[in-house]
Amino acid sequence: MKKLSVKIVGAGLIGTSLALALKAKGHSINICDTDASAQALALDLVGEQANLTRPDLIIVATPVETIFDLLSSEFTSNSDSYFMDIGGLKSNLLTKVEGLSELSKRFVSLHPMAGREVSGPQSARADLFESRALLITSTSTSSTEAIELAKQLAGEIGSTPYLIGAQEHDQAIALISQMPQLVSSLLAATLVGTPPKDLAFAGGGLRDVTRLAGSDPALWSALLLGNQEELLKSTHRFASLLQEFIDALSKNDGEKLKRILREGNQGRELIPGKHGAKNRDYTYLPIVIDDRAGQLARLFDECAKVNANVEDLSIEHSPGQETGLITLALSASDAAKLGEHLVSAGWRVHSPLK
């Protein structure tokens, strides 16, 4: 991809992260924001700013309710540039953009499926988009060049591009992005008024499920209201399942409770792996090793002897503990042959898990 001059309007989490990622690839970056403190921090993080009089690309990274006006304003001054936004809603925006025929030709809408529960440039990361999906929504008149530029941009920030229509985007986002935020916030809201001594007992599960509840209320209220029709469909489905659970619990119906929980297991398994790829069907091989130097290297030597390809691994070990648990993720066939080989070589191998 040729080096571009890129103007980013909006120095929040996403805009600043995008600036950092593109700057690291050698592109010329200028980032601006109406919030002087946010802009100052973003400028310090990104470093030297390019003086762009005619940028190749202008990306609007601001709250959804401001995107169209900023696109219109920027197009008036830079009609030869290409334009993109990175907002979380598409249908209404694309309808408005298509009302400006020349802008529509040079515009593509993006939605990086990446973010954090904390906002602002202070939370920005250059690797925020790596191994994530980048949803690309074109107008009915977006040029081939504009769409290709969006695909190339995805590669520059480490994302995988996916073309998706505006309505399809908003429908999917209601379930996979907005519902998690809603459920997290509602659960966290039930904690208000809970005695501190009870909350002191909280473990990782509560923190995990309520992580998204730390997000910006102003940002998310606009996103939720902007996708009202699609979100209501998802919330009604969720409410129906919740009522089923309440009924089963009230009637001491253990079989129905187990069925609902099993459906949760099934739904969890449907969530794909990195950047929208199919979730790999790994077999997990647990191996206990001694806490001494070189053990992990020896284990990988054994893998090489039988040509077993390790897809992933986890290590469970605490300081001072004499042993550790290494769990290798492999294909089913590799797990079988490696397990047999390690047992014959005297390793402490335990039953494979799915």
Side-chain angles (χ1 to χ4, degrees):
M1 181 181 186
K2 74 170 188 176
K3 301 309 176 188
L4 301 173
S5 56
V6 183
K7 179 180 180 179
I8 298 175
V9 182
L13 167 65
I14 301 297
T16 306
S17 295
L18 191 58
L20 291 170
L22 292 175
K23 181 71 177 293
K25 289 292 186 176
H27 299 284
S28 300
I29 302 298
N30 183 282
I31 186 167
C32 62
D33 198 293
T34 55
D35 183 328
S37 61
Q39 177 170 310
L41 179 52
L43 292 175
D44 279 347
L45 289 169
V46 176
E48 183 180 356
Q49 299 289 293
N51 183 16
L52 306 181
T53 55
R54 300 181 66 183
D56 299 314
L57 173 63
I58 297 175
I59 302 175
V60 176
T62 62
V64 290
E65 63 271 20
T66 66
I67 290 173
F68 178 70
D69 287 343
L70 287 168
L71 285 170
S72 301
S73 175
E74 291 290 339
F75 181 69
T76 300
S77 305
N78 301 281
S79 59
D80 292 332
S81 301
Y82 287 101
F83 294 83
M84 298 177 189
D85 82 288
I86 50 176
L89 298 174
K90 302 305 175 194
S91 296
N92 290 338
L93 175 63
L94 264 69
T95 297
K96 292 179 179 179
V97 169
E98 289 184 350
L100 300 176
S101 59
E102 293 306 312
L103 171 60
S104 181
K105 295 174 186 177
R106 306 187 69 82
F107 174 75
V108 175
S109 190
L110 308 180
H111 187 181
M113 297 308 296
R116 304 179 68 188
E117 71 278 11
V118 286
S119 59
Q122 65 271 21
S123 305
R125 299 175 53 129
D127 62 354
L128 185 66
F129 312 105
E130 290 183 7
S131 298
R132 302 288 184 171
L134 181 68
L135 307 186
I136 299 174
T137 302
S138 61
T139 69
S140 59
T141 59
S142 293
S143 67
T144 302
E145 293 78 9
I147 296 171
E148 184 60 31
L149 182 60
K151 293 178 181 178
Q152 292 176 358
L153 185 72
E156 290 294 88
I157 62 176
S159 297
T160 301
Y162 295 90
L163 298 176
I164 186 171
Q167 185 174 358
E168 183 185 2
H169 169 278
D170 291 352
Q171 183 178 23
I173 290 305
L175 179 61
I176 67 172
S177 178
Q178 296 177 337
M179 280 300 294
Q181 177 65 54
L182 181 59
V183 172
S184 180
S185 293
L186 290 177
L187 176 58
T190 68
L191 303 178
V192 176
T194 301
K197 65 180 181 62
D198 292 348
L199 291 176
F201 305 145
L206 185 62
R207 292 183 177 87
D208 289 344
V209 179
T210 58
R211 178 180 65 84
L212 294 176
S215 300
D216 181 0
L219 171 68
W220 272 97
S221 62
L223 288 168
L224 299 177
L225 287 170
N227 202 25
Q228 184 184 75
E229 182 178 350
E230 296 298 341
L231 184 57
L232 281 173
K233 295 176 186 177
S234 295
T235 53
H236 286 318
R237 168 64 175 154
F238 183 82
S240 175
L241 286 173
L242 183 59
Q243 188 59 55
E244 283 188 43
F245 177 83
I246 292 170
D247 291 344
L249 192 63
S250 300
K251 297 174 183 177
N252 292 314
D253 190 341
E255 290 304 312
K256 189 170 185 179
L257 286 176
K258 284 188 283 187
R259 177 184 63 77
I260 294 170
L261 294 172
R262 280 195 297 269
E263 287 181 2
N265 295 151
Q266 294 166 6
R268 175 67 179 82
E269 291 172 359
L270 296 175
I271 300 174
K274 292 181 178 179
H275 54 74
K278 182 180 179 182
N279 199 15
R280 294 296 299 273
D281 185 20
Y282 293 141
T283 295
Y284 297 90
L285 191 64
I287 305 154
V288 175
I289 64 172
D290 294 326
D291 182 22
R292 64 172 186 263
Q295 284 292 87
L296 196 55
R298 285 186 55 228
L299 178 58
F300 278 105
D301 284 343
E302 299 291 350
C303 294
K305 288 177 183 178
V306 294
N307 197 31
N309 184 36
V310 177
E311 301 285 355
D312 202 354
L313 66 87
S314 64
I315 301 175
E316 298 290 343
H317 177 261
S318 300
Q321 186 176 319
E322 295 182 355
T323 57
L325 177 65
I326 307 296
T327 302
L328 303 180
L330 312 103
S331 66
S333 58
D334 278 3
K337 70 180 178 182
L338 178 61
E340 183 178 348
H341 170 74
L342 291 175
V343 169
S344 67
W347 290 79
R348 289 173 285 181
V349 181
H350 291 261
S351 299
L353 306 169
K354 290 299 289 183

